[in-house]
Amino acid sequence: MTAPAEPAARPAPPRAAHRRITLASSVVGAVIVALDGTVLTVAQPTLQGDLGASLTQVQWTSTGYLIAVAGLLVFAGRLGDRYGHRRIFALGILGFGAASAGIALVPGITWVITLRVAQGVFGALLQPATLGMLRAAYPPDRLGTPIALRASAIGIAAAAGPLLGGTLVDHFGWRSVFLLNVPPALAMGVAALAVRSPAAAGPRSGRPAAADRLDVPGACLLTVALVALVHTLVAVPGTGWTARTAAGLAVTLAAGTAFVRRQRRAASPLVPSGILGSATIGAALGILVAVSAAMLGTLFVASYFLQRTLGLDPQETGLRALPAGVTMVLGAPLAAVLMRRFGPRRTAVAGTLVLTLGVLLLARLGPASTAVPVSCGFLLLGAGFVTVMVTTTAVVVRHAPAASAGVAGGLQQTAMNIGPVLGIAVAATLMSLTRGAIGPPLAVLTVFSATGTLLALGLPGHKDTVRPGGGRRADASPARLGR
């Protein structure tokens, strides 16, 4: 009697332990980056006095980092798609930790700025990989919960950062805020290198065609466009619209146009056609830019109002804004549940409307405003923003082909970096024109959130079926996680 034929081998799903390590790496990597930015803001005045730096030099400790990150995120994501997100994540987080340790030891502001730029380079490697690893480890229809947990952790970091940074600076000096990054970065980097990814059973196919070559010219064009854009937006609040800022926008437009043309013609484009031509991904990225501009611009205006008009100190201002952080932490898992039940479109529309309502409520504040309307406004801001962030991030990652998950993650992170710079630039410029009045800038910022509402109508409805080539269940194989 012949033995029954064995069934065809199926790809083995990742072990539960491996998924937990992947999720932990993604969360810790995202938290380190978020925490680094918030605690640095608190440490900058002390850093300036200790090193005898000018205000411009101190600003470049943030601007240099931001420019490096924004210009390299998509290319870094592309490297993860080709060489494996786990490897790129390990390189990014270990390099980020090493640069942090270096900043804590250097004697002068020039070294601080230089190493902050290096941190930006490693941060660009790290951030897309945190999403690429999740896309490789989880099936598309199960990505909502891991992304929500990641968002909650970022919310905790954003809320706790100023308090933690102030405590460290008061007791141990500004260098301690950089040493804070080193132990978790070392632990997660070593774990990422030590843990092998579960291999898919059966024969392995070669690399996807999209990963055959790196589009270096395309990467250079995109970097030039993003660096020029970020540099211009950062400069506008201080210098206004000058010939120099106009030239920066011209460079952005020219390089951006050349980049799009190259992507349409290149044999192996930096941004594959499955992403570049996806209306769903395009809408989600546009929403992220719009709502992050509205959110961070509003926080900038509200902080100015609370301290300059109501006379609150920074700690009191942080307490009034605390509801935003709390609702971000608690609202992220709820957003994943709402998305599964009602679909991305309805969830994102609801989130943008709640965000808009929060901006409008804060726009009505005056010198006699009490803590209740202020806290309610921040509560609505946090609830609306985290709902949209979780929903749109899940849409971007889920609808991108698994072989291009790093590029999708890079685009998502780029949107989350460009939006805040745009919102703060608009808010600061309008406040200077209106002599500190908060009504006009917040009214303009509602246009951003309303734009997000319109774009949300282009997201998938309740039955969010992933299109072929853009997130089929078979694409969820973890084989590329550690390649």
Side-chain angles (χ1 to χ4, degrees), residues 77-369:
R78 186 72 179 82
L79 291 175
D81 290 332
R82 180 169 185 178
Y83 297 110
H85 301 299
R86 179 175 57 84
R87 291 177 180 175
I88 299 301
F89 171 83
L91 175 62
I93 198 166
L94 289 174
F96 195 92
S100 298
I103 294 173
L105 300 174
V106 296
I109 187 64
T110 301
W111 278 105
V112 173
I113 295 172
T114 302
L115 288 175
R116 281 289 289 168
V117 173
Q119 260 192 328
V121 173
F122 289 114
L125 293 173
L126 163 64
Q127 293 181 58
T130 63
L131 289 173
M133 291 191 300
L134 293 181
R135 176 64 177 88
Y138 289 85
D141 57 355
R142 294 182 60 187
L143 279 168
T145 299
I147 288 175
L149 291 175
R150 180 178 178 274
S152 289
I154 293 174
I156 293 174
L163 178 61
L164 179 60
T167 302
L168 288 173
V169 172
D170 287 343
H171 291 85
F172 305 105
W174 65 268
R175 298 177 188 273
S176 62
V177 303
F178 292 100
L179 291 175
L180 178 68
N181 298 326
V182 177
L186 180 61
M188 287 296 100
V190 171
L193 290 175
V195 177
R196 288 181 60 87
S197 305
R204 231 186 219 185
S205 59
R207 282 197 179 100
D212 285 343
R213 291 189 299 274
L214 293 174
D215 182 15
V216 176
C220 291
L221 287 171
L222 182 59
T223 298
V224 170
L226 292 174
V227 167
L229 177 61
V230 171
H231 189 273
T232 300
L233 292 176
V234 169
V236 164
T239 64
W241 291 102
T242 64
R244 185 174 181 179
T245 52
L249 286 182
V251 171
T252 300
L253 181 61
T257 302
F259 170 75
V260 172
R261 292 182 63 182
R262 174 169 178 82
Q263 297 310 286
R264 291 175 175 173
R265 298 177 180 179
S268 299
L270 177 67
V271 182
S273 59
I275 295 178
L276 188 65
S278 172
T280 298
I281 294 177
L285 293 173
I287 295 166
L288 279 172
V289 172
V291 299
S292 59
M295 176 70 172
L296 272 296
T298 300
L299 289 178
F300 176 84
V301 174
S303 298
Y304 183 96
F305 170 80
L306 292 176
Q307 295 185 49
R308 296 293 179 88
T309 304
L310 297 187
L312 303 181
D313 60 34
Q315 184 177 8
E316 292 172 324
T317 300
L319 290 175
R320 295 286 176 90
L322 187 59
V326 172
T327 51
M328 284 186 64
V329 174
L330 300 178
L334 178 60
V337 173
L338 293 175
M339 184 173 58
R340 285 197 299 269
R341 182 169 182 178
F342 299 107
R345 183 190 304 151
R346 292 179 181 179
T347 305
V349 167
T352 56
L353 291 176
V354 170
L355 177 64
T356 302
L357 184 60
V359 179
L360 290 174
L361 183 58
L362 292 174
R364 295 174 58 85
L365 297 178
S369 296

